[in-house]
Amino acid sequence: MAKPRIGLFGGSFNPIHNGHLHLMSAAKEQLQLEQVILLPARVSPFKQHQTDMVSAANRYAMCQLAVEDFSDCRVDDFELQQKGVSYSLFSARHFSTCFPNYQLIWLMGSDMFLQFQQWYHWEEFLEYAALGVLARSDADQEKIAIQQERLSPYGTIFLCEAPVSTVSSTKIREKCKKQENFSCYLPQKVVQYIISHGFYKEDQMRKES
Ligand code: ATP
């Protein structure tokens, strides 16, 4: 009998937005995930020197607000408790020991999938988790198919199908900096949290860093 499945979803979530929630919903339904566990990174491997990163505790808090009304979804602080860079390998290894009777599926957008061979010990990573991928741009579709073929000998790759969402945390941070309205890109509770803490404004980022 096939194992039940859990989705693991890592990221910097600076901040979490509707594109993330869109991927979670599509994957949950299409890959029949029993639950999705969000894993905000303490220190993202690819964003170690990013200056407009709010604290891990605040990114974690925004994730919690975003999934409050999402069934079968929770935020886990595993990566926040670790020292050093938050390599997904360590999380995949950890959760595979927590859930030995489940198939773990690591959710990601096509940007991450297309650079997957740059991930820390990616071949070992695929021993612990399958990948669940959603395109972030229609232009990525062909490259996704090629990458799927390339990686399939090493592990299991699931492709989700859903309309592309082009929202990104970068776009939201830029809108905040320019004092433009960004409220349509993320849950209202997260919008309020960002506004009340004054995140992503130039002066606030100097304070956070
Ligand atoms: P930034 O713009 O700061 O680089 P981001 O919007 O890409 O951030 P991350 O927290 O870095 O968000 O992404 C975490 C995961 O969510 C990654 O696997 C990323 O590909 C995926 N993701 C982010 N936005 C989308 C989206 N709009 N559609 C599908 N996947 C997404």
Side-chain angles (χ1 to χ4, degrees):
M1 209 171 76
K3 286 180 174 180
R5 295 169 170 175
I6 289 178
L8 298 175
F9 190 23
S12 48
F13 302 117
N14 182 41
I16 189 164
H17 55 67
N18 291 343
H20 296 126
L21 301 178
H22 177 60
L23 167 52
M24 282 162 51
S25 307
K28 196 159 166 285
E29 195 187 308
Q30 292 175 27
L31 307 179
Q32 288 99 43
L33 305 178
E34 215 168 83
Q35 62 165 316
V36 176
I37 302 175
L38 246 86
L39 295 165
R42 194 176 75 85
V43 180
S44 250
F46 300 110
K47 297 175 182 168
Q48 293 184 52
H49 306 294
Q50 192 174 310
T51 51
D52 58 357
M53 185 70 75
V54 306
S55 70
N58 278 317
R59 288 181 286 110
Y60 178 87
M62 290 190 276
C63 287
Q64 279 193 309
L65 289 173
V67 302
E68 248 174 27
D69 305 322
F70 233 82
S71 58
D72 305 317
C73 179
R74 69 178 173 86
V75 190
D76 194 284
D77 67 355
F78 175 75
E79 295 193 356
L80 269 57
Q81 300 306 331
Q82 305 301 301
K83 290 197 177 78
V85 177
S86 310
Y87 291 115
S88 304
L89 173 73
F90 302 147
S91 305
R93 199 188 269 156
H94 167 75
F95 284 97
S96 73
T97 58
C98 297
F99 299 109
N101 300 322
Y102 281 78
Q103 179 181 30
L104 300 181
I105 304 184
W106 195 277
L107 309 182
M108 63 179 67
S110 48
D111 55 324
M112 283 295 144
F113 183 55
L114 295 177
Q115 61 170 69
F116 185 70
Q117 291 93 327
Q118 289 172 36
W119 281 33
Y120 182 72
H121 292 226
W122 63 270
E123 286 167 278
E124 186 187 345
F125 179 94
L126 289 173
E127 292 171 19
Y128 303 117
L131 308 185
V133 182
L134 180 64
R136 290 186 74 170
S137 134
D138 288 323
D140 282 349
Q141 297 291 6
E142 208 179 311
K143 287 179 260 174
I144 292 172
I146 294 168
Q147 177 76 324
Q148 183 186 27
E149 224 175 280
R150 203 176 280 145
L151 292 179
S152 287
Y154 301 94
T156 306
I157 321 288
F158 297 102
L159 302 185
C160 300
E161 279 180 34
V164 160
S165 153
T166 56
V167 58
S168 69
S169 301
T170 303
K171 188 193 256 184
I172 293 165
R173 293 194 304 273
E174 279 170 7
K175 287 204 170 274
C176 284
K177 272 175 210 148
K178 290 192 225 153
Q179 301 193 350
E180 289 174 8
N181 191 333
F182 59 93
S183 61
C184 60
Y185 300 116
L186 56 188
Q188 284 317 299
K189 287 177 191 168
V190 182
V191 173
Q192 286 315 317
Y193 195 89
I194 291 171
I195 293 172
S196 64
H197 288 76
F199 291 154
Y200 310 121
K201 293 178 180 166
E202 300 296 344
D203 52 344
Q204 176 68 24
M205 294 329 299
R206 275 197 293 276
K207 246 187 277 165
E208 277 264 334
S209 58

